[in-house]
Structure formats: C-alpha cells, structure tokens
C-alpha cells in the first residue's frame, strides 16, 4: 500500500477518535445543563437558554460522535449472509457497498452546507425567547458529517488493504 | 412511473441491498436520498435528508435517549442487580419454578430503571442463567424466561421504543409511558402464571431449592436482602414521582434517573473509572447507532410521504380487500410480526410506524393505546428468529451447552403468551388507557 494512504488512515482515525471522545464527555455537560434548568426553575426563575442549549449539545453529541461510533462498530448490519462470509469476502463486498454510505452522507453534506450558508447569510435565529443563532450548530453538524465521510474513506482503504493481504 | 410503483421499488431495493450486510442506516439513507434527488432534485430534493436532522433536533424528548441508555449500562456494568437477584432467589426459591418466577420479577424491576432490553438481557444471562442452570432448571425454559422478561424493558416505563413511537405518532411521551405500566405488569403476570403451571405439572422443569440451601440463609439475611429491593423502587420513585407530580419534565427526570443510578453504584462501592468509561463509551455507540438509523428512516419516511405511499397501503387494505377497522388492525399487527421476524428490529420500528400510524389514526383508534400494541409487537419481534436482538444477545452470552436450537425453541411458548397479552390489551383498551387518563384528568 502506498505510504501516504497508510498515513492518511492513521490521521483520520486519530482525529475522529479525539473528536469522538470529546463528544462522549459532552454527555456530562448535557446532564449538567438540564439539571441546572430544573433547579433554577424550581429555585428562583426559569432559564431561557437551557432547553435549546441542551438540544444543540445533543445534536453535537450525535454528529461529532458519529465517526467514533462507526469506529466502534456499533452500526447494525443485517448479518443473515454477512456473518457467514470470510473476512476477505466481507472486505470485498464492503469496499463496494460503502459507496451507498458515501452517497447518503454526501447528499446529507450537500444539504447541510446549503442550509449553513443560508443561516450565515441571513443571520438565521431560532424562534423563541432566547433566539440563538443557528449557524454555529449547523457548522458543527456539517463538520460531523464530513468526519463521517472521512471515516468511510478510511474504511474503504482498510478494505482494499485487506484484499491485498495487508493489515493496517 | 407511477408513485405506487416507485414506493414498492424503494422498499424492495432497500431489502435486497440490506442483504449485502452494509450498515443499515447507510442502505436506508441511500435509497431515500437517491429517490429524493431523482423525484424532486429540481425542487430541493437534496435538502430532504438534512431537513430531518433539524426535525430531530427540534424534538425535545429525544434528550431522554442517551440518558436512559446510560442508566441501563450503569445498572448492568456496576452489577447493581446482584443483590436483587439474591433477594428473589431467597424469597421465591422454595416454590416450584420459583427461581424462574423470581427472574421475571427481577426483570420487571430492571425494566423500571432502563429503557431497552439490553440491560435486562445482560443481567439475566450473567447472573440468573448460571444460577438457574446450576439448580437443574430446564435450559429451554430458562433461556425463554430471560428473553421474555428482558423484553419487558421496552414496555415498562421508561421506554426508548415508546420515545421513538411518540416522535413518529406525535403523541406525548409521558402518557405513553403510563399506558405501558399495566400491560407490562399484565404480561409479567401471564409469564408467571405460565411458569407456575408448567412447573406444577412437571416439577422437573423447575425444582424448588433444596432444604440445605434454604437453611444456609439466616432469617436476618433474608430480611436484609429485602432491603435490596428498595433500591430500584427508590430510583424509580425519585425519577417518576417529580414527573407525575409536575415538578420536573420528562427529560429532566431522565437525567435525575441516570444520576441516581450512578449515585447508588458509587454508594455501593461498585463504581470505578473502568465502569464509567465502558458506560459512557457504550452510551455514545448505541445512541449514535439509534440516531443515524432514525435520521435515515425519517428521510425514507419523508419520501414515502411525498409519494403518498400511505394512501397506497390504505387503498390496499380498505378498498381492495374491503375490510373493517378491526380486521385491518389485526392484519397490521400480523404483518408487523411477520416483518419483525426478518427485518432488523430498530429499522423496522422506524420504517413501519410512519406507514401504520396514519392508518390507525384514520380508523379512529386511540394512538396511545396503539403505541402499547405496537410496543408489545416489537417485543415479539425482538424474540422471533431469524432476527431478534434478544436472540443474538442470548447466543452471545449463554454458556456453550445452551445451543442455538434450544434458544429458538425456548421462546415459542413465551411468544404465545405475549400474543395472548396482545389480544387482551386489544380487547380491553382500558388496561392501557386507564392509568394515563386517570392521572392526566385530575
């Protein structure tokens, strides 16, 4: 395998691991914000920002954690046939069918970038009391989708390597 | 090409492509975006997939999802259920089939503290199963007991499946959860009656524990263990009471529940960095898996909406077959169970609901009640081969002398009992609706 591909896979996976770990810990921040909202409402006065902030954090959790979750192999597959194949067959089939995932994520990214540009151009805000800007969360989502795409290319390179009997 | 044909083509090609074993959400999403671009590419069809992420973000109760998953992992990873199991063991052991009955009760308590069946399966297979086999319980019965009991996790509140259903059917999650309480207890009762009857007529299936066993436990120990039973009730109460009283909202209660379970495990000295690491990592992995399947399936559902596939399904049921509303409902449940046997459970959950819910509401059935029927049907799907989470988990976790065919055979009577439960709830909707109506109409 060409050296730069191996380096690429290493870097992509390291990046996704790092970002994913960060997302993983944000679950505790999420708990803190929701709890703060409940305590403040019971104690003195309702906070206008906690609900929406929690929703943004949750979206970040899902999107930035997505690539790491792919690495962890949590995505379900229908394994009626898949589980009976050899590792080589699996790699060969995956190398082709990963295209489906790439196309889905690609079109998702397209819509995401479009929507983010709109949010930036018109300073889109969410309705309600707090009226937060929408651009930051959309940018986070776009980054998350992009990272998942990168992870898919890394998977693809790994599968090709496996077919050439190299283990990355 | 007619819309009906496109819809059928989408569904068919999705099933075929799933057989390649590619990640489920990728296949569903792929079919959805290709169809969207092909149908409405000139009118922003490419935006359809991303629009679903915004829809999901705006849906507030989704915040409960990672909380309950986290809570379930804390339960099983820090082995909070060990004492609980001992309690049931000691108190129910002397009855024929008592340990199996105790296992069902254990599962009810675990279900009241987490929203999926995974935690119940893990606890059942690691704690209850070895003990039951050691006491020469019939292996075909006990694997069925554990799977059936664990499946209550999605019916007894909190329930993640009902959160997903609520999103699709646009129903309040709180009412759905309350609706699940009595049917959940009813199913547990039916399981217990079944086990008791079987063991009464054939004591070899579940012998009572021996006298030495019984004498090895002192009276003091017996009562001390009873205290262990207070722990899950305490967690459940701290979570649900403020919610039912209106002090906290559902999402906040889920955070309180997750923190309470964590606090209990710290208090019992079972918490460690390793446990916390495993719990948070698995929570991320499972939550993301759910979210991505939901996103892809929502995109798929949105295309189906645009194609008016619901009209097509409705036309098929009503005009072509000329059926009454109950016949349609029964047919829907049957087709659901049938699909559940070969489709992945999560995917089925989010693909079938958008098709069926509008029909149910058009037939003027109560959607809260249908949510309960839907969840029970999902439970059945979790257990029926060849696809079923509980089946796979059981195969992965059971000792080697429990073969796959044992596991397959073990579920048959329990699926029968569950179908009976389903019928009872269908005939007497008040079993599901009484509790939410009483509490919400105060």
């Amino acid at each position: 395998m060409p050296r730069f591909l191996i380096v690429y896979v290493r870097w992509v996976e390291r990046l996704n691991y790092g970002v994913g770990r960060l997302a993983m810990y944000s679950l505790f921040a999420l708990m803190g914000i929701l709890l703060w909202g409940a305590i403040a409402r019971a104690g003195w006065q309702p906070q206008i920002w906690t609900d929406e902030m929690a929703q943004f954090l949750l979206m970040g959790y899902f999107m930035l954690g997505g690539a790491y979750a792919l690495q962890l192999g949590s995505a379900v597959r229908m394994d009626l046939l898949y589980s009976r194949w050899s590792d080589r067959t699996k790699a060969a089939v995956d190398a082709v069918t990963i295209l489906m995932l790439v196309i889905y994520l690609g079109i998702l990214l397209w819509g995401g970038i479009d929507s983010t540009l709109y949010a930036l151009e018109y300073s889109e805000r969410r309705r309600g009391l707090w009226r937060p800007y929408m651009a930051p969360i959309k940018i986070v989502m776009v980054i998350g989708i992009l990272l998942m795409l990168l992870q898919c290319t890394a998977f693809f390179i790994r599968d090709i390597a496996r077919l050439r009997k190299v283990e990355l | 090409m007619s819309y009906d044909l496109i819809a059928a083509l989408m569904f068919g090609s999705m099933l075929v492509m799933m057989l390649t074993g590619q990640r489920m959400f990728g296949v569903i999403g792929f079919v959805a975006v290709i169809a969207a671009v092909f149908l409405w590419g000139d009118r922003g069809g490419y935006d359809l997939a991303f629009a679903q992420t915004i829809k999901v973000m705006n849906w507030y109760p989704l915040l409960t999802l990672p909380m309950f998953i986290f809570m379930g992992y804390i339960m099983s990873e820090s082995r909070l259920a060990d004492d609980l199991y001992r309690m049931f063991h000691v108190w129910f052991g002397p009855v024929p089939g008592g340990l199996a009955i105790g296992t069902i009760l254990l599962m009810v308590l675990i279900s009241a503290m987490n929203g999926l069946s995974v935690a119940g399966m893990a606890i059942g297979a690691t704690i209850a199963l070895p003990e039951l086999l050691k006491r020469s319980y019939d292996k075909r019965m006990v694997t069925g007991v554990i799977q059936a009991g664990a499946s209550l996790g999605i019916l007894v509140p909190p329930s993640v499946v009902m959160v997903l259903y609520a999103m699709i059917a646009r129903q309040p999650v709180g009412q759905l959860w309350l609706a699940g309480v009595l049917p959940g207890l009813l199913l547990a009762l039916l399981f217990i009656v079944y086990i008791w009857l079987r063991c009464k007529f054939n004591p070899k299936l579940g012998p009572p524990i021996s006298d030495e066993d019984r004498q090895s436990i002192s009276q003091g120990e017996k009562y001390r263990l009873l205290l262990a039973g207070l722990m899950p009730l305490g967690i459940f109460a701290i979570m649900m009471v403020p919610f039912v009283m209106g002090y906290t909202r559902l999402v906040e209660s889920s955070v309180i529940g997750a923190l309470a379970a964590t606090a209990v495990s710290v208090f019992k000295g079972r918490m460690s960095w390793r446990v916390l690491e495993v719990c948070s990592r698995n929570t991320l992995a499972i939550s993301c898996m759910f979210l991505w399947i939901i996103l892809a399936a929502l995109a798929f559902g949105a295309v189906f909406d645009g194609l008016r596939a619901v009209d097509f399904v409705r036309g098929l049921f009503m005009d072509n077959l000329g059926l009454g509303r109950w016949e349609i409902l029964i047919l829907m449940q049957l087709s659901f169970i049938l699909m559940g046997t070969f489709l992945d459970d999560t995917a089925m959950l989010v693909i079938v609901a958008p098709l069926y819910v509008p029909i149910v509401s058009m037939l003027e059935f109560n959607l809260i009640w249908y949510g309960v029927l839907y969840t029970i049907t999902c439970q059945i799907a979790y257990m029926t081969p060849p696809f079923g989470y509980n089946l796979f988990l059981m195969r992965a976790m059971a000792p080697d002398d429990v073969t796959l065919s044992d596991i397959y055979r073990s579920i048959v009577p329990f699926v029968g009992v569950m179908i009976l439960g389903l019928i009872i709830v269908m005939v007497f909707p008040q079993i599901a609706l009484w509790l939410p109506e009483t509490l919400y109409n105060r």
Side-chain angles (χ1 to χ4, degrees):
Chain A
M1 292 297 281
R3 175 97 194 113
F4 73 93
L5 284 181
I6 297 173
V7 174
Y8 171 80
V9 170
R10 291 266 151 76
W11 273 99
V12 165
E13 296 198 332
R14 207 171 293 165
L15 176 70
N16 283 338
Y17 176 82
V19 175
R21 296 293 291 187
L22 211 66
M24 187 182 100
Y25 290 118
S26 73
L27 181 69
F28 299 105
L30 185 59
M31 288 181 185
I33 286 178
L34 286 169
L35 209 58
W36 173 251
I39 293 169
R41 181 152 38 82
W44 48 104
Q45 64 165 345
Q47 304 290 305
I48 54 168
W49 58 275
T50 48
D51 284 356
E52 281 161 309
M53 197 60 213
Q55 284 173 299
F56 289 158
L57 259 181
L58 183 71
M59 228 44 215
Y61 179 77
F62 285 141
M63 289 290 169
L64 296 178
Y68 180 43
L70 281 180
Q71 278 181 15
L72 291 173
S74 68
V76 262
R77 300 162 179 269
M78 191 172 197
D79 60 356
L80 186 65
L81 305 172
Y82 194 80
S83 58
R84 292 175 202 174
W85 293 337
S86 70
D87 283 353
R88 261 180 79 80
T89 315
K90 280 182 188 167
V93 174
D94 268 349
V96 178
T97 57
I98 193 92
L99 196 65
M100 291 196 272
L101 199 53
V102 169
I103 290 176
Y104 170 54
L105 290 171
I107 292 184
L108 203 57
L109 185 68
W110 181 9
I113 290 176
D114 205 58
S115 174
T116 307
L117 290 178
Y118 170 87
L120 284 171
E121 195 174 344
Y122 296 96
S123 311
E124 185 191 0
R125 282 163 171 249
R126 210 159 185 237
R127 267 173 292 176
L129 281 174
W130 187 38
R131 299 182 69 236
Y133 286 105
M134 287 299 284
I137 185 61
K138 286 189 176 172
I139 291 172
V140 167
M141 291 205 274
V142 165
I143 292 173
I145 298 167
L146 202 64
L147 290 177
M148 285 180 80
L149 265 174
L150 290 182
Q151 187 60 46
C152 289
T153 57
F155 280 149
F156 177 72
I157 295 168
R158 273 180 181 279
D159 284 333
I160 297 293
R162 192 161 296 146
L163 287 176
R164 301 166 123 209
K165 303 207 163 112
V166 193
E167 206 50 51
L168 286 188
Chain B
M1 215 178 340
S2 80
Y3 275 7
D4 298 352
L5 196 62
I6 298 175
L9 198 70
M10 277 175 70
F11 206 78
S13 54
M14 179 185 75
L15 288 184
V16 172
M17 282 190 280
M18 273 184 184
L19 285 176
T20 63
Q22 184 49 262
R23 293 163 189 82
M24 200 76 70
F25 80 89
V27 177
I28 301 171
F30 170 73
V31 175
V33 294
I34 290 295
V37 169
F38 163 73
L39 285 163
W40 310 295
D42 51 337
R43 283 167 287 156
Y46 62 91
D47 196 31
L48 182 132
F50 190 76
Q52 310 309 316
T53 64
I54 302 292
K55 203 193 272 176
V56 163
M57 183 167 76
N58 289 336
W59 197 65
Y60 190 64
L62 191 70
L63 282 158
T64 57
L65 182 97
M67 300 304 159
F68 287 127
I69 293 174
F70 183 76
M71 195 171 167
Y73 274 111
I74 291 277
M75 290 281 311
S76 55
E77 286 300 314
S78 61
R79 306 188 68 89
L80 283 183
D82 286 22
D83 291 348
L84 274 181
Y85 178 75
R86 295 247 328 132
M87 176 185 88
F88 285 119
H89 186 122
V90 169
W91 283 87
F92 283 88
V95 185
L99 296 184
I101 293 173
T103 305
I104 293 285
L105 292 172
L106 172 73
M107 290 300 171
V108 173
L109 287 184
I110 292 169
S111 301
M113 288 179 290
N114 82 94
L116 287 171
S117 58
V118 186
M121 284 300 297
I123 291 165
T126 53
I127 305 173
L129 187 64
E131 287 286 328
L132 288 163
L133 292 177
K134 205 160 71 190
R135 320 269 153 177
S136 50
Y137 269 61
D138 180 58
K139 60 181 176 182
R140 265 187 212 145
M141 187 165 88
V142 296
T143 53
V145 166
I146 289 168
Q147 291 186 70
S151 77
L152 292 173
I154 62 172
L155 184 60
V156 174
S159 157
V160 168
V161 168
M162 284 188 176
V163 171
L164 299 183
Y165 174 85
M167 173 170 74
I168 293 160
R170 298 195 187 88
Q171 295 295 312
V173 179
Q175 292 202 27
L176 266 168
W177 281 7
L178 289 173
V181 174
L182 291 179
L185 295 179
L186 172 75
L187 276 186
L189 186 71
L190 290 175
F191 291 149
I192 289 171
V193 169
Y194 167 77
I195 295 167
W196 187 74
L197 285 177
R198 285 284 310 269
C199 293
K200 196 168 155 60
F201 291 112
N202 188 358
K204 259 186 263 161
L205 292 174
I209 56 173
S210 60
D211 283 344
E212 304 120 68
D213 243 10
R214 222 181 307 175
Q215 266 140 28
S216 69
I217 305 149
S218 70
Q219 283 295 319
E221 172 81 357
K222 253 179 120 166
Y223 288 105
R224 194 192 63 76
L225 279 170
L226 207 53
L227 284 177
L230 291 178
M231 184 268 294
L233 293 180
I235 293 182
F236 188 69
I238 215 172
M239 184 167 70
M240 290 305 275
V241 169
F243 168 67
V244 173
M245 303 295 285
Y247 295 133
T248 57
R249 286 172 298 170
L250 193 66
V251 169
E252 291 153 0
S253 276
S254 74
V255 178
I256 294 171
L259 291 176
T262 314
V264 169
S265 72
V266 171
F267 180 69
K268 290 202 160 194
R270 302 257 172 76
M271 181 51 83
S272 66
W273 287 115
R274 193 200 63 81
V275 169
L276 195 63
E277 156 72 25
V278 172
C279 292
S280 13
R281 192 175 59 216
N282 285 336
T283 304
L284 179 92
I286 301 287
S287 304
C288 286
M289 173 201 93
F290 263 108
L291 176 94
W292 282 97
I293 285 203
I294 295 168
L295 280 184
L298 281 177
F300 195 89
V303 176
F304 259 38
D305 257 3
L307 290 174
R308 308 202 152 274
V310 175
D311 289 346
F312 169 62
V313 176
R314 193 162 56 203
L316 183 77
F317 277 136
M318 300 193 79
D319 305 337
N320 297 12
L321 299 171
L323 300 170
R325 61 201 281 259
W326 281 95
E327 288 161 313
I328 294 173
L329 192 78
I330 291 166
L331 209 62
M332 275 161 61
Q333 294 315 104
L334 282 178
S335 61
F336 196 12
I337 292 176
L338 203 69
M339 272 191 272
T341 62
F342 67 89
L343 260 181
D344 169 81
D345 302 318
T346 317
M348 177 187 72
L349 182 73
V350 275
I351 287 178
V352 173
L355 278 179
Y356 281 9
V357 166
I359 300 177
V360 174
S361 96
M362 195 203 63
L363 294 171
E364 291 171 354
F365 285 114
N366 184 313
L367 281 176
I368 302 271
W369 168 72
Y370 185 70
V372 173
L373 299 185
Y374 177 85
T375 311
I376 298 176
T377 316
C378 278
Q379 281 179 274
I380 297 173
Y382 271 32
M383 290 171 55
T384 42
F387 289 105
Y389 277 143
N390 290 8
L391 283 175
F392 293 149
L393 287 167
M394 199 71 209
R395 186 171 60 183
M397 294 191 270
D400 291 339
D401 58 330
V402 178
T403 64
L404 195 58
S405 95
D406 285 337
I407 296 176
Y408 278 2
R409 269 186 233 169
S410 72
I411 61 142
V412 175
F414 287 96
V415 168
V417 172
M418 286 161 90
I419 291 177
L420 177 68
L422 185 68
I423 293 170
I424 294 177
V425 180
M426 270 169 113
V427 178
F428 303 105
Q430 281 309 313
I431 297 173
L433 296 176
W434 178 76
L435 195 60
E437 280 174 3
T438 313
L439 282 175
Y440 275 84
N441 291 340
R442 270 178 312 192

